[in-house]
Amino acid sequence: MGGWRRPPSRGELPSGDEVVTWRVVVARDPTNAPSGADGRSGPTVDTLDCAAWRAGVRRQALRWREGDVVEIEGAVHRRYYRTGAGQTVSRHEIVAHRVRRLGRAPADERDPA
């Protein structure tokens, strides 16, 4: 379960395939928060990039708004790509197989768009 950091957006690949991507924020359990060498606590949230390739999942994700609480079922994938400078880089993302909205954000917390 998580809340939004970046709302869903639709993209089209050169192949013509459609993908919907978004980023969720998941709060960490504060009792298990890591601390650095200096004793300060580390991040209290994790941000996860997600992608949906299946049409039904894409449609559901596009209806979400910032602040919604969602559940995502999928697989962790590592993607490799080249930057404009020709450098090969990678990133991890959750490829969503099933999603559902568990709750709406209060109206005053939603993105006005």
Side-chain angles (χ1 to χ4, degrees), residues 13-59:
L13 301 179
S15 66
D17 290 339
E18 276 190 41
V19 63
V20 170
T21 60
W22 66 92
R23 182 172 293 152
V24 294
V25 177
V26 180
R28 289 187 178 178
D29 178 350
T31 60
N32 293 326
S35 57
D38 60 2
R40 296 183 352 199
S41 68
T44 58
V45 297
D46 289 305
T47 57
L48 304 168
D49 289 326
C50 301
W53 296 91
R54 296 178 181 175
V57 177
R58 291 192 315 256
R59 280 191 302 273

Side-chain angles (χ1 to χ4, degrees), residues 3-17:
W4 293 115
R5 176 80 170 188
R6 185 182 70 208
S9 64
R10 184 181 311 188
E12 186 173 329
L13 301 179
S15 66
D17 290 339

